[in-house]
Amino acid sequence: MSTNTAVRRAATVALAGGLLLTASPLAAPAAAAAPPIPSISAKGGFMVDQADGKAIYGKANTTRRQMASTTKVTTAIVVLTTPGVDLNRKVTIKQEYRDYVVRTGASTADLKTGDKVTVRQLLSALMLPSGCDAAYALADTFGTGTTSAARTKSFIGKMNAKAKQLGLVNTKFDSFDGISTTGNNYTTPPELAKMARHAFSSAAFRDVVKATSYKTTATTSSGGTRTYTWYNTNKLLGSYSGAVGIKTGTGTSAGPCLVFAATRGTKTYVGVVLNAPDRFNDAAKLLDFGFGSTTARTMELRSLPAGAQRD
């Protein structure tokens, strides 16, 4: 081989190597683009990582809004964090609980007067069909005082104490179920999300709110057996992959509201949408934003049976 040939061959190899070196960064996969921040119908919304409370999304974070029956998240966790609470404790249903839902036109678990139901059953009656009769029963049972009015007022005080304990300065309760008597039943998206995250840390709470339906029996006043079946008004359950809760709410001032949660793998997100005309799709969009998925695009909402409560 001539010297010139050897030089040309070496130059060709070097050039090829240079081209490869130059091309290799271009051949590397490009970094994935961050998903776009979702557009939602809700006037206010917030979502956090359940594990560390890190904010994932926020909209109108400081605006106080009515929260309707999402109030019942606090009702439930006040009961569950009562020292020495016995979930098997029997509570006798009073006629005044039924009269209350008739008088207010409230959602109901249709609890029958004289039936003896457990606290655990009342929590399902509260959170699935959004029973305001169940909320009344729990407030009357876990409040203190010599009259039902005093006991329910005491219980609402405990709800406000819970908010204060969590450092919520823009949250106030004037009811045990979200039916506001004074207009002073409000929160902000981040604060309701913080309350929901606190509640969701309870295994008993998680067990209640994840069910699409709950069937149980209670003892009647005559010693017989009555069967209750309640359906969860949260249509995200059974519709969005990984959905595990939490609570719907609807009111004239509040509009449609939803506190939601979903788990995939080791990741759980908890969120809130307030005054949200398209609340279930809003929640799905926010969860997709967190999980990096596109489930919302093809989600079909679970239907509620005829006669089931809507909230």
Side-chain angles (χ1 to χ4, degrees):
M1 179 185 301
S2 70
T3 301
N4 287 343
T5 302
V7 169
R8 283 196 303 271
R9 182 171 295 175
T12 301
V13 171
L15 181 59
L19 288 172
L20 287 172
L21 288 172
T22 302
S24 58
L26 298 176
I37 296 174
S39 174
I40 61 174
S41 73
K43 290 186 177 178
F46 201 77
M47 190 173 76
V48 298
D49 188 318
Q50 173 66 17
D52 57 14
K54 179 183 176 183
I56 306 299
Y57 174 90
K59 177 181 180 181
N61 291 349
T62 60
T63 302
R64 293 175 176 179
R65 298 187 188 280
Q66 296 284 316
M67 62 185 119
S69 283
T70 62
T71 295
K72 291 167 182 160
V73 170
T74 306
T75 309
I77 199 57
V78 166
V79 170
L80 286 167
T81 54
T82 297
V85 63
D86 178 7
L87 297 183
N88 294 315
R89 175 182 175 182
K90 294 285 183 71
V91 175
T92 301
I93 301 304
K94 300 177 183 178
Q95 181 63 35
E96 64 189 274
Y97 307 157
R98 292 182 60 85
D99 292 343
Y100 170 75
V101 297
V102 171
R103 186 172 69 250
T104 58
S107 51
T108 177
D110 197 23
L111 299 170
K112 303 298 186 184
T113 303
D115 282 6
K116 294 176 175 59
V117 297
T118 66
V119 172
R120 170 63 177 80
Q121 290 171 325
L122 282 174
L123 288 169
S124 288
L126 173 80
M127 299 300 285
L128 274 66
S130 200
C132 294
D133 46 355
Y136 196 152
L138 289 167
D140 192 24
T141 300
F142 286 89
T144 56
T146 57
T147 65
S148 61
R151 288 188 293 271
T152 54
K153 182 178 179 181
S154 162
F155 186 85
I156 294 165
K158 292 182 180 185
M159 295 169 70
N160 284 308
K162 173 65 71 176
K164 185 176 181 180
Q165 173 196 334
L166 294 176
L168 309 185
V169 298
N170 287 305
T171 297
K172 187 173 182 180
F173 301 101
D174 69 358
S175 75
F176 48 71
D177 57 4
I179 299 176
S180 180
T181 55
T182 66
N184 289 317
N185 202 88
Y186 56 77
T187 190
T188 62
E191 292 200 355
L192 184 52
K194 188 171 184 179
M195 180 67 78
R197 181 174 173 246
H198 170 65
F200 208 68
S201 66
S202 162
F205 181 89
R206 294 195 303 272
D207 187 55
V208 168
V209 301
K210 71 181 181 182
T212 54
S213 64
Y214 182 75
K215 186 175 183 178
T216 192
T217 58
T219 303
T220 67
S221 57
S222 60
T225 299
R226 190 187 315 280
T227 299
Y228 286 102
T229 303
W230 298 306
Y231 297 96
N232 202 320
T233 58
N234 178 9
K235 293 183 181 180
L236 204 64
L237 294 169
S239 305
Y240 185 91
S241 175
V244 287
I246 295 178
K247 185 72 189 75
T248 57
T250 304
T252 303
S253 299
C257 303
L258 182 68
V259 178
F260 58 91
T263 299
R264 290 183 182 176
T266 59
K267 185 66 71 176
T268 296
Y269 293 112
V270 171
V272 170
V273 285
L274 297 177
N275 206 331
D278 198 15
R279 58 184 171 176
F280 298 115
N281 281 309
D282 282 353
K285 288 178 183 179
L286 294 183
L287 289 167
D288 275 353
F289 182 62
F291 290 125
S293 60
T294 58
T295 308
R297 296 179 189 175
T298 55
M299 181 179 72
E300 294 184 12
L301 288 177
R302 172 176 58 93
S303 297
L304 292 172
Q309 291 293 300
R310 267 68 175 170
D311 178 37

